Amino acid sequence: MSISAPDQAIGSTHRSGRPSAQLAGGWEAGLLLFMLLIYLVGVYTNPTFFASGSAFGSVLRDAARYGVMACGMTFVIVDKDLDLSVGSTLGLVATIFSISYAQAFFDSNVTTAILVAIAVGVFIGFLNGWLVTVMQVPSFIATLTMLFIGRGFVLGFTGGKTIAYDTKARGDSWFFHWGETNSWGEAHGFAFNNQIVIFLVVAILAAIVLAKTRIGYETYAVGGNEQAAVYAGISSRWVRVRAYVFSALAATLAGLMNCAQNKGMDSSFGAGAELIVIAATIVGGASIAGGRGRVLGACLGAILVELIDVVLRQGIPITRVVQVAGIDMKVQQLAQLPPGAVPAFLGLMLLMAVLIEPYVMQKRVLARLIARLTGRPMPISFDSGGIAISQPATKGTKSQSRGVGVKGWRAFFYRRDAAAIMLALALWLAGLYLRPDFWGSLDNTFNLALAFTEIALLAIGLTFVIANADIDLSVGSVLALSASTAAFLMHEYGSDPLYAVLAALVVGTLAGVLNGALTVRFGMPAFVATLGMFYIARGIGAWFSAGRQLSGFPESYTLLGRKVIELLIYLHMEPGPGFLHNLAGAVSVQTVIMAVIATIAGIILGKTTIGEMVYATGGNLRAAQYSGINVNRVRFLSLTFSAFCSALAGVIYVAYYRSFNPSAGMGRELDGIASVIIGGGSVFGGYGTIIGSLAGAAVITLIRGLLSLQIFLPDGSSFVMPQHWVNVFIGLILIIAVLGDIWIRQQGIVGVWLKALRRKRPSSSVPPVADPAAAD
C-alpha cells in the first residue's frame, strides 16, 4: 500500500517523538513546582483563606474559564498566529445568550439561546480566520479590530447594563447547574464547582487532538514551517482557519459558563481576558514564534496566572492599633496591593514568558546549568534566530505607479492620503447638512478641535511606528500613565506644575524606551512588547492614583487645556480688541501645541534623511540594512517618539479636564491606529504621512461628533445615536481601510477585475485578415 507524502511526514514525526513529550514534559513539571511555591506563599501570608480546601477550589473554578480559552488559544499560537478577540467573543456570546434567553428580551428556551450563541461564536472564528488567511490581514490587526467591534456590540446590545434571569433559570437547572458547586464538593468541604469538570474534559480532549491526531500534526507543521507544510500537501489556510474556530468555540464555552454561574451577565464580561489567556498559553510553554506548545502547559499556565492573581488580591492580615477616646484598640485589617498592581504584574509576566523561548528554552539554560553542576557534557543549544515574527513586506501600489508623472490637481487623487482628506471634508459637510444651526458654530468647532488634538497627537507618533512596519498598542495606556504621574505629583506632593509636566513626559517616554528595547534588543514582536506595556502602564497609572479620580490642580497647569486668550491674560499679554483677540479666543493652547508637534514631525518625516530612513526600514528591512541604515536605531527612536507624543497627550488630558480618571485613554490605541491607516499608512510599513494621519484623526473625531449629534426629525422628535456603538463604527472603518490598502492599493484588484471583464467580452464578428508574410 502506497503512502502519500503528507502521511509519510506525519508518520515519521509520530514515530520519532516520545509520547510523554507530546502530552507533557519537564516544563509542566516546573510549572507544578512553581505553583506549589506560590500556594505556600499564599498560605504563609493569609493562612485563614489559603489553608482551607475552598481556596484551591475557588482558584480552579475561576481558572476554569481561562483554561478552556487557553486550550483554544494553544492551537492559534502553535499556528504562529494570535487571537486578541477572545475576551470580546466571550462577552458577545454571553450577551447573545442573555438577550435570547432573558424574559425582558426574546424569552426563548435555553436550548435555542445556546445554539444561537454557538452560531455567533463559530461565525466569529471563521471571520477571524478568513480575514487572516484569505484577506491577508495581519492577525494582531484583524483580531484587535474584532476585539473593539465585539466590545462595541456588547455595550450596544446591553446599553452598559446588567441582564439578569435568575428566576427563569430555576426552570432550566440542567444548564445552570454547571455553574454551581456539586454535591461531592459540598459533602467534603471542597468548593468543587462543576465548571472544573468542564475544564478537565475540554483539556483532555484538546490535549489528545493536538498531540495524537492528524489535526495536531498539521497544526505543528504549519506553525513550525508553513512553506514546508504546504509542500507536504497540508492546506495551511484551512489549518489556520480551523485554529481560529477552535479558539472562538473555547471562548463561546467560557461565555456560557459565565452565564451559568452568574445567571445573568454584565457588559464587563470578558474585558481583559485576552491578556490572561495569551499569558497563560505562553507561560505554559507555547512559543510566540509558532511550532511549539502543549495544551497541558497552557492549562497549568491558566491556573498559575489565576493563583498569582488571588494571592496578590487577598492581601496579608495585619493588626493595627487605633486610639478611640484615648484607648488603644486593635483592629484586624488586610494589607493589599493598590489597584492596578495585578494587571501590571500580568503584563510583566507576559513579557517575561515571551522572552523565555529564545533566552531559556532555545539556549537550554537549565540543562546546561545542571550539566555544569554535575560535571556532565554540555548539551547543544538551539538558536532559531530570535522570536520576531515575519510578516509580508509592503508592495508597490498600482495607484501610485499610475500616478507617476501626473502634474497639477490630478496628482492629488493619486496620493494615499487623498481619500482621508476627502472623507473628512464629506463628514464635516454631512454634519453641516444635518444640523446647520449647530455644526458650523464656533463652540462646536472648538469642541471638535479639542477632541481632535488628543487623537492627533497619538496618530503623529504612530505614523513613524507604522511606517516602520511596527505597531504600538500601548499609546492609550502611556497616556494614562503620564496623566496619572502629573496628577499624582501635584495632588499628593503639591509639586510645581513645570516639574510635574517634565516628570510625566519622562515617565511616558521611558515606557517607549522599554518598548524599543524589547523590540530591538530582545527581538520581541512590537505588538507583543506594546501589548505587555498596554497593561503595565495602565496598571502603574491606576497604582499612582489608587484607582480614584484626582483633581484640584494649579491654574498655571490647567491653562494648557484652555483657550489661548486665557493664557495671555494670565501672562498679562492680552491683545486689544480685534482679529488677534478673536483668534486667541477661538484657538486652544493644546491645539497650538499639537500644530507645532505636527509641523516638526511632518518636516522630519517628509523632508529629511531621517524620514527617508523610516520609509526605507518599513519598506524593506533587509535592503535598508544593506544600504547602511541602522534600522534598529530607527525603530527604537520611532517607538520612543510615539510614547513621547502619548505622554504629551496625557499631560494635556489632565489640564483640559482639570482632573485625572483611571479610565483615561481607554480605547485610544484603536483611534490612533485607525487614524494612520485611514490616512494612507500601511500596516506592512513603508508608507504614511503626517497630513494623512491628521486627516484620519479628523475622520475619527467627526464620526464621534456625528454620532453624538442630536438630529431633529420632520415630526418634531429627535434622535441621538447611542455612544456605545462608536467602537463598532471605528472598528469597521479600520478593517475596511486595511483591506483597501491590501487589495485596492497593493494588489490592484479593481484593475484585475476590469481586465477579467474585458476578456469575457464577445469577440468581433468580422473574421481576422490573414497575414501574407505569415503564409510565406
Side-chain angles (χ1 to χ4, degrees):
M1 181 179 65
S2 62
I3 301 177
S4 63
D7 292 333
Q8 286 179 343
I10 292 170
S12 62
T13 302
H14 177 69
R15 286 191 298 269
S16 62
R18 295 180 301 172
S20 61
Q22 294 171 347
L23 289 170
W27 186 260
E28 286 75 13
L31 285 176
L32 287 172
L33 291 175
F34 189 56
M35 288 166 58
L36 177 61
L37 176 62
I38 295 296
Y39 198 85
L40 291 177
V41 171
V43 172
Y44 175 77
T45 57
N46 194 344
T48 304
F49 176 76
F50 285 98
S52 64
S54 61
F56 188 66
S58 64
V59 170
L60 288 178
R61 179 201 64 199
D62 294 337
R65 295 183 292 274
Y66 297 124
V68 167
M69 289 192 288
C71 292
M73 184 67 74
T74 304
F75 285 83
V76 176
I77 291 182
V78 169
D79 260 340
K80 204 177 180 179
D81 285 321
L82 200 68
D83 189 355
L84 296 174
S85 67
V86 289
S88 292
T89 301
L90 184 156
L92 183 56
V93 165
T95 301
I96 295 299
F97 173 85
S98 298
I99 63 178
S100 299
Y101 181 74
Q103 291 176 307
F105 292 87
F106 291 97
D107 195 21
S108 64
N109 60 68
V110 68
T111 303
T112 301
I114 291 172
L115 292 176
V116 172
I118 292 174
V120 171
V122 172
F123 173 76
I124 293 174
F126 273 110
L127 182 59
N128 280 334
W130 177 75
L131 288 172
V132 173
T133 59
V134 178
M135 305 308 291
Q136 302 176 22
V137 180
S139 61
F140 67 91
I141 286 290
T143 56
L144 175 68
T145 305
M146 291 303 299
L147 183 156
F148 283 96
I149 292 177
R151 187 57 53 190
F153 274 118
V154 170
L155 294 174
F157 287 143
T158 64
K161 300 177 182 178
T162 300
I163 301 176
Y165 33 82
D166 50 348
T167 302
K168 184 180 179 181
R170 297 170 188 168
D172 296 299
S173 58
W174 69 268
F175 171 73
F176 292 95
H177 179 64
W178 288 105
E180 300 172 352
T181 301
N182 56 39
S183 57
W184 182 87
E186 293 174 351
H188 293 80
F190 183 72
F192 195 85
N193 193 282
N194 287 319
Q195 295 184 71
I196 302 175
V197 178
I198 299 175
F199 176 28
L200 291 175
V201 171
V202 172
I204 292 172
L205 290 176
I208 293 174
V209 169
L210 186 61
K212 297 295 183 180
T213 69
R214 185 185 184 95
I215 293 176
Y217 300 152
E218 291 176 344
T219 301
Y220 283 118
V222 171
N225 191 323
E226 184 175 4
Q227 190 171 0
V230 172
Y231 288 157
I234 297 174
S235 175
S236 65
R237 177 177 295 180
W238 165 241
V239 171
R240 296 171 70 192
V241 171
R242 182 175 60 199
Y244 277 109
V245 173
F246 287 167
S247 179
L249 280 174
T252 298
L253 179 57
L256 294 175
M257 291 164 65
N258 251 349
C259 293
Q261 176 179 310
N262 295 278
K263 298 178 177 61
M265 65 84 57
D266 62 68
S267 58
S268 66
F269 270 17
E274 57 280 343
L275 170 72
I276 297 176
V277 175
I278 293 172
T281 307
I282 296 174
V283 168
S287 170
I288 198 71
R292 187 174 65 82
R294 287 189 289 256
V295 170
L296 178 59
C299 294
L300 292 177
I303 298 173
L304 174 61
V305 170
E306 183 61 31
L307 178 61
I308 293 174
D309 179 70
V310 172
V311 171
L312 292 177
R313 292 185 189 277
Q314 280 300 314
I316 303 174
I318 60 173
T319 301
R320 293 185 60 186
V321 178
V322 181
Q323 283 193 347
V324 179
I327 301 175
D328 292 342
M329 299 184 63
K330 294 183 178 181
V331 180
Q332 299 294 327
Q333 291 183 334
L334 279 176
Q336 294 179 305
L337 291 173
V342 173
F345 185 82
L346 291 177
L348 183 62
M349 178 180 290
L350 171 63
L351 298 180
M352 293 176 62
V354 174
L355 292 175
I356 287 174
E357 163 66 18
Y359 293 100
V360 177
M361 299 298 292
Q362 291 179 11
K363 297 183 182 299
R364 305 182 69 181
V365 171
L366 296 179
R368 293 172 70 84
L369 178 62
I370 294 174
R372 185 180 296 275
L373 294 176
T374 58
R376 297 177 181 176
M378 285 289 179
I380 300 174
S381 63
F382 302 99
D383 188 359
S384 63
I387 59 176
I389 296 179
S390 60
Q391 63 182 25
T394 301
K395 301 175 183 177
T397 62
K398 304 290 186 179
S399 60
Q400 282 189 317
S401 62
R402 289 195 301 269
V404 174
V406 177
K407 304 293 184 181
W409 61 270
R410 292 179 55 204
F412 170 77
F413 295 99
Y414 290 98
R415 292 173 56 97
R416 291 176 63 95
D417 50 18
I421 296 173
M422 291 187 291
L423 180 58
L425 179 60
L427 289 172
W428 191 86
L429 291 175
L432 188 63
Y433 172 78
L434 293 172
R435 284 293 306 276
D437 59 322
F438 168 76
W439 190 258
S441 66
L442 189 61
D443 288 339
N444 181 61
T445 303
F446 175 67
N447 291 331
L448 288 175
L450 293 177
F452 167 75
T453 300
E454 183 177 323
I455 303 175
L457 281 172
L458 301 181
I460 291 169
L462 280 168
T463 304
F464 285 79
V465 175
I466 293 177
N468 269 335
D470 286 323
I471 202 74
D472 188 352
L473 302 178
S474 67
V475 289
S477 297
V478 173
L479 183 154
L481 174 61
S482 62
S484 66
T485 301
F488 174 76
L489 290 175
M490 289 185 290
H491 184 272
E492 298 295 329
Y493 294 100
S495 299
D496 182 82
L498 179 60
Y499 173 77
V501 169
L502 293 176
L505 293 178
V506 169
V507 169
T509 305
L510 284 177
V513 171
L514 182 57
N515 283 337
L518 290 171
T519 303
V520 173
R521 174 62 182 85
F522 295 97
M524 187 179 294
F527 71 88
V528 175
T530 56
L531 178 64
M533 183 56 66
F534 173 94
Y535 290 96
I536 293 174
R538 187 161 294 279
I540 296 176
W543 191 334
F544 283 163
S545 64
R548 68 188 192 279
Q549 185 166 324
L550 303 178
S551 58
F553 308 124
E555 181 184 5
S556 57
Y557 177 81
T558 59
L559 285 171
L560 292 174
R562 308 269 72 82
K563 295 182 180 180
V564 174
I565 190 65
E566 297 179 55
L567 176 63
L568 295 177
I569 293 174
Y570 179 82
L571 297 175
H572 306 290
M573 298 173 59
E574 180 183 6
F579 174 76
L580 290 179
H581 191 282
N582 295 335
L583 181 64
V587 179
S588 66
V589 176
Q590 58 181 311
T591 303
V592 174
I593 296 174
M594 183 275 298
V596 172
I597 298 295
T599 301
I600 296 173
I603 293 173
I604 292 175
L605 189 60
K607 300 294 183 182
T608 68
T609 305
I610 297 176
E612 293 176 357
M613 290 191 293
V614 170
Y615 290 131
T617 300
N620 192 318
L621 182 67
R622 183 169 297 181
Q625 287 178 314
Y626 288 159
S627 65
I629 297 174
N630 189 334
V631 295
N632 287 340
R633 180 183 300 170
V634 172
R635 297 174 66 200
F636 177 85
L637 292 177
S638 296
L639 287 165
T640 303
F641 178 65
S642 177
F644 170 80
C645 291
S646 303
L648 184 58
V651 169
I652 293 175
Y653 172 92
V654 175
Y656 172 67
Y657 290 104
R658 304 188 185 187
S659 65
F660 168 74
N661 191 307
S663 64
M666 190 75 72
R668 286 304 194 194
E669 51 280 337
L670 180 66
D671 290 346
I673 295 171
S675 298
V676 178
I677 303 303
I678 292 170
S682 172
V683 290
F684 302 114
Y687 294 102
T689 63
I690 299 299
I691 293 176
S693 297
L694 293 180
V699 169
I700 301 298
T701 305
L702 290 169
I703 288 174
R704 291 187 181 277
L706 287 171
L707 290 178
S708 62
L709 190 63
Q710 184 178 15
I711 302 173
F712 293 100
L713 302 177
D715 59 358
S717 61
S718 61
F719 172 78
V720 179
M721 175 68 75
Q723 287 295 296
H724 299 304
W725 296 94
V726 169
N727 278 348
V728 175
F729 284 96
I730 295 177
L732 289 174
I733 290 175
L734 173 58
I735 199 67
I736 291 172
V738 173
L739 292 174
D741 175 54
I742 295 172
W743 291 99
I744 297 178
R745 288 175 177 154
Q746 297 192 27
Q747 302 291 348
I749 195 66
V750 176
V752 173
W753 288 341
L754 291 176
K755 289 181 180 178
L757 288 175
R758 293 191 191 101
R759 294 193 193 101
K760 292 181 180 180
R761 289 178 181 175
S763 58
S764 174
S765 58
V766 179
V769 179
D771 187 356
D776 294 339

